[in-house]
Amino acid sequence: MHQPILLNEVLEHLVTEADGLYIDGTFGRGGHSKALLSRLDEQGRLVVFDRDQQAIEAAKHMAETDGRITVQQRPFSAMREVVEGLGCLNQVNGILLDLGVSSPQLDEAERGFSFRFEGPLDMRMDQSQSESAETWLAHVSEAELSLIIRDLGEEKFHRRIAQAIVLSRDEQPITTTDALVAIIKKCCPHYERGKHPATRTFQAIRMHINQELAQLKQVLDDALDMLAVGGRMAVIGFHSLEHKAVKTFAKQYCSGNEVIEIGQNPKKPRLRRVVRHVAPSLMEVAQNPRARSAILRVLEKVA
């Protein structure tokens, strides 16, 4: 079962209008969505997004018994298009993005997300897309692979891992998570205590296959067109690249823009920080270790 992270904090800071329009950009198995609905009245509405077919099936099941839910099997980068189609630009009261991989995805070996289980090297959040991790690793150049492992995984052994993957695939296709883990382990003579040597490389490949940073930056850019004045966006991130993207976005719009010409009036900030940095409690981490790296940030549209 997937446990929604920072649930009480999300509800406290995101829901401001019981009859408002809210969006869960990452439905997962519906933990956050169910709690959001409990805070909305009969006039409230919730639009949920996910790329994962199993998540969409769970969302449709929930929608069968609650007419306030609209289900979209699309990436959250398409959120603005959907909101515009609903005629609700500048009318959304709250947007939630939980950027973590859901527990069902991690725990199902056949999805290939986790180095802990042997399974096919898939890693696609939307399994209808053509290129899996296996397919991509079969043709990516060593130079590109090294850069992606470095930039998205922040892996110091990126060069030797990329080289080893390319040499190995020339001898035999890399088709399973265990095969990839074995290659990575040979390239990491020492590693942080308590962290598996494949963690960063698996993260990098998964983020590339699903274009996770590009998706995040797109929805952040679109948020100002969707939110009503007073509407809020809550983002739960899990690693430095996600944190950096949200902080950069907040800095750009919370401080206003620089005056370009002498005599030009400065633009007022369009956002304010409601929550700068909230981490899970020690109790929550003890109950759900996957929450340990989560950080919640909440922004409100003010103009």
Side-chain angles (χ1 to χ4, degrees):
M1 295 295 293
H2 180 74
Q3 300 180 48
I5 292 172
L6 290 162
L7 180 60
N8 292 331
E9 292 83 353
V10 167
L11 295 177
E12 176 186 354
H13 296 293
L14 185 63
V15 181
T16 58
E17 303 289 340
D19 61 350
L21 170 62
Y22 290 84
I23 299 176
D24 185 348
T26 46
F27 180 82
R29 290 302 181 270
H32 283 117
S33 286
K34 184 177 180 180
L36 289 171
L37 287 166
S38 72
R39 295 293 183 95
L40 303 182
D41 62 22
E42 293 182 358
Q43 284 71 47
R45 294 293 180 268
L46 179 67
V47 183
V48 302
F49 287 75
D50 212 294
R51 290 188 274 179
D52 186 286
Q53 181 60 41
Q54 294 180 17
I56 289 299
E57 290 173 3
K60 288 180 177 178
H61 179 72
M62 186 181 292
E64 289 175 358
T65 58
D66 194 326
R68 297 174 296 173
I69 305 173
T70 300
V71 180
Q72 295 285 334
Q73 185 173 5
R74 304 185 68 175
F76 54 60
S77 60
M79 193 180 293
R80 187 193 188 282
E81 179 182 346
V82 171
V83 170
E84 185 174 13
L86 294 172
C88 295
L89 288 179
N90 297 300
Q91 297 177 42
V92 176
N93 299 101
I95 298 171
L96 171 62
L97 301 175
D98 176 356
L99 303 177
V101 181
S102 70
S103 293
Q105 289 173 329
L106 287 171
D107 293 337
E108 293 178 6
E110 63 270 19
R111 300 301 300 272
F113 284 103
S114 177
F115 47 76
R116 296 187 299 117
F117 309 113
E118 181 176 13
L121 201 55
D122 194 321
M123 299 195 192
R124 293 171 296 175
M125 291 182 178
D126 177 0
Q127 290 187 299
S128 68
Q129 72 183 58
S130 59
E131 191 162 66
S132 66
E134 177 188 341
T135 305
W136 179 68
L137 285 175
H139 67 76
V140 64
S141 71
E142 180 181 330
E144 182 183 356
L145 180 57
S146 177
L147 287 175
I148 285 172
I149 296 174
R150 182 196 70 181
D151 294 344
L152 298 183
E154 300 175 301
E155 171 59 72
K156 60 184 175 182
F157 299 121
H158 58 93
R159 289 190 182 89
R160 64 174 68 176
I161 291 173
Q163 182 182 53
I165 288 173
V166 171
L167 290 174
S168 295
R169 79 183 184 198
D170 290 342
E171 297 178 2
Q172 184 177 350
I174 305 168
T175 61
T176 68
T177 54
D178 276 5
L180 181 57
V181 168
I183 295 168
I184 296 168
K185 280 185 173 179
K186 293 177 181 178
C187 301
C188 301
H190 52 84
Y191 224 76
E192 301 107 303
R193 177 174 294 183
K195 178 166 285 192
H196 193 285
T199 300
R200 296 181 185 277
T201 301
F202 266 65
Q203 171 186 297
I205 295 172
R206 186 205 79 221
M207 291 182 69
H208 172 76
I209 291 298
N210 296 290
Q211 292 295 294
E212 293 177 33
L213 275 186
Q215 297 279 338
L216 174 58
K217 291 176 180 178
Q218 183 66 62
V219 75
L220 290 175
D221 287 342
D222 291 340
L224 288 168
D225 291 334
M226 296 186 285
L227 289 171
V229 173
R232 295 181 174 183
M233 168 176 269
V235 183
I236 302 173
F238 290 82
H239 56 76
S240 60
L241 297 175
E242 293 169 347
H243 301 325
K244 181 179 179 182
V246 178
K247 288 192 291 185
T248 299
F249 172 73
K251 183 178 180 180
Q252 178 181 0
Y253 289 103
C254 289
S255 60
N257 297 322
E258 296 295 328
V259 177
I260 299 175
E261 298 178 2
I262 295 175
Q264 180 181 353
N265 293 325
K267 295 182 179 179
K268 295 180 179 179
R270 299 188 66 190
L271 296 170
R272 76 175 183 93
R273 296 178 180 89
V274 178
V275 172
R276 287 177 176 268
H277 180 126
V278 172
S281 66
L282 293 176
M283 181 178 295
E284 180 172 0
V285 173
Q287 295 173 344
N288 181 13
R290 287 175 177 163
R292 63 186 178 276
S293 59
I295 295 175
L296 169 68
R297 293 180 171 86
V298 182
L299 300 168
E300 180 181 292
K301 182 176 175 179
V302 294

